Amino acid sequence: MKNIFENLDKTLEHRVRLQIASVLAANESYDFNALKELLNSTDGNLATHLKALEREKYISISKSFIEKKPNTRYKITERGRVAFKKHIDAMEELIKQQRK
Amino acid sequence: MLNETPQNELASIRKLMERSVTFVSLSGMSGVLAGIYALIGAAFAYQQIYSGEAVRSLEYYGGRIPMVQNLLLIAVLVLVSSLFTGWWFSSRKANKLGTSIWNATSRRLLINLAIPLLVGGIFTLVLLYRAYFDVVGAAVLIFYGLALLNASSNLFEEVRYLGFCELILGLLAAVFPIYSLHFWTVGFGLLHIIYGGLMYKKYDR
């Protein structure tokens, strides 16, 4: 039982971070405003969690300008994808264990 | 109750992943209405082609430009009213879901749909211009089917099957051009009503 809990990812345990990771895992890339709208989040809240994910090198950022407006796009890194998969697997395992 | 939490969490994550790539606001009702418009349009087209001065064979199309213009007008009217209905129902559903109709997903969906549709539209106009009337119905069905396949990753999975059906009908229409209008009626009328009804039952209620 203890082993399974160890497989859970500390960074992804937070709900918003897991949500961000899941959106980025399902899409090629996503920009800040679209994420904000999809997750119904505030600027500050979303930025904080994005930063936490970036610190772990789970996501990468690319900044550009679209019609003179800054546009920030996020992508999941290979490291992030592995961590996300491991975390989801651990959650599934946890559910299985508790059903027994 | 303890096992509810991670389970719900996983379910909500799955839903979020799906929602982030799928345009969920498209309403089944707009499919049904688009099908009905197409049936009405087809009835008018049928009248244009088969009544009045007897024009039984497609070879006569060439000499009867006014009729071709009328058919084109009918097709455009069906298209415009379908698009408007789709937009109206989608924005209503988006409101209900608390999302917006204009987001990253719908933009991608629009681009994926628009490329094959624009190419198909221009191609069809060229066919009309060059008087290849007997393959117009087939071309419209085939390009529409390809557009649906291309966009299916941003729509509900079932759109893929609708796309395959349109492609089969398009090829049949190419082989049997005399029945083009009938295949067109099935593809744009009947299939949309069936598909829209199924989607309405499955996702809208």
Side-chain angles (χ1 to χ4, degrees):
Chain A
M1 205 57 189
K2 193 172 166 269
N3 236 348
I4 298 164
F5 279 108
E6 273 170 7
N7 277 340
L8 287 173
D9 191 294
K10 278 273 165 299
T11 316
L12 293 178
E13 259 176 5
H14 194 285
R15 194 155 168 271
V16 178
R17 288 178 212 158
L18 185 58
Q19 286 181 325
I20 295 170
S22 69
V23 172
L24 294 182
N27 291 273
E28 168 76 24
S29 72
Y30 233 74
D31 76 15
F32 187 88
N33 288 327
L35 258 180
K36 193 175 88 174
E37 192 185 318
L38 186 68
L39 303 181
N40 232 334
S41 173
T42 60
D43 277 8
N45 190 27
L46 186 59
T48 315
H49 292 302
L50 283 167
K51 219 160 258 164
L53 286 169
E54 194 200 351
R55 214 178 300 126
E56 290 293 323
K57 297 211 165 50
Y58 283 180
I59 59 173
S60 67
I61 299 176
S62 66
K63 290 185 176 168
S64 65
F65 286 87
I66 294 175
E67 285 164 12
K68 288 185 182 169
K69 276 186 195 153
N71 179 274
T72 316
R73 296 200 75 86
Y74 298 90
K75 263 184 175 175
I76 196 160
T77 60
E78 213 33 59
R79 186 179 144 84
R81 198 178 289 280
V82 170
F84 175 70
K85 171 112 191 1
K86 208 171 140 195
H87 186 75
I88 293 289
D89 286 347
M91 279 172 76
E92 257 163 9
E93 197 55 40
L94 207 63
I95 293 167
K96 261 191 226 154
Q97 290 283 336
Q98 280 174 345
R99 273 210 187 123
K100 278 180 190 167
Chain B
M1 285 315 268
L2 207 97
N3 63 340
E4 286 290 298
T5 334
Q7 226 163 339
N8 284 347
E9 180 90 4
L10 263 186
S12 86
I13 286 295
R14 280 218 186 87
K15 212 175 250 171
L16 179 67
M17 289 172 86
E18 192 175 304
R19 197 153 64 97
S20 68
V21 288
T22 321
F23 183 59
V24 289
S25 304
L26 193 67
S27 165
M29 197 39 111
S30 50
V32 174
L33 282 172
I36 292 172
Y37 300 155
L39 286 185
I40 296 171
F44 276 114
Y46 195 85
Q47 216 180 14
Q48 285 286 324
I49 296 171
Y50 294 102
S51 75
E53 293 154 69
V55 183
R56 293 245 144 63
S57 156
L58 286 147
E59 281 108 70
Y60 292 113
Y61 267 108
R64 298 183 60 82
I65 297 302
M67 186 186 76
V68 172
Q69 278 175 347
N70 286 344
L71 291 182
L72 191 63
L73 182 71
I74 292 169
V76 169
L77 277 178
V78 169
L79 177 70
V80 170
S81 41
S82 300
L83 285 177
F84 180 77
T85 308
W87 169 80
W88 194 73
F89 272 96
S90 295
S91 54
R92 249 185 38 162
K93 191 174 167 190
N95 253 337
K96 220 163 64 184
L97 292 171
T99 61
S100 133
I101 186 172
W102 195 238
N103 55 33
T105 314
S106 66
R107 267 194 291 275
R108 222 169 314 159
L109 167 68
L110 222 56
I111 292 169
N112 284 344
L113 268 179
I115 293 170
L117 281 186
L118 274 180
V119 173
I122 294 167
F123 183 70
T124 306
L125 287 178
V126 171
L127 288 180
L128 286 175
Y129 181 72
R130 306 192 60 175
Y132 291 122
F133 300 111
D134 50 353
V135 283
V136 166
V140 172
L141 281 165
I142 287 172
F143 276 102
Y144 181 58
L146 290 176
L148 288 181
L149 281 191
N150 201 34
S152 63
S153 58
N154 298 118
L155 282 168
F156 296 120
E157 220 191 329
E158 289 83 353
V159 171
R160 181 177 285 275
Y161 302 115
L162 182 62
F164 282 131
C165 292
E166 303 286 1
L167 285 178
I168 292 167
L169 286 170
L171 290 177
L172 285 173
V175 179
F176 307 106
I178 294 284
Y179 299 113
S180 264
L181 183 61
H182 301 83
F183 289 122
W184 194 93
T185 309
V186 173
F188 285 98
L190 227 53
L191 281 186
H192 277 149
I193 293 174
I194 294 169
Y195 169 81
L198 288 177
M199 292 303 94
Y200 185 73
K201 249 174 88 180
K202 189 165 174 191
Y203 296 108
D204 289 4
R205 287 192 302 189

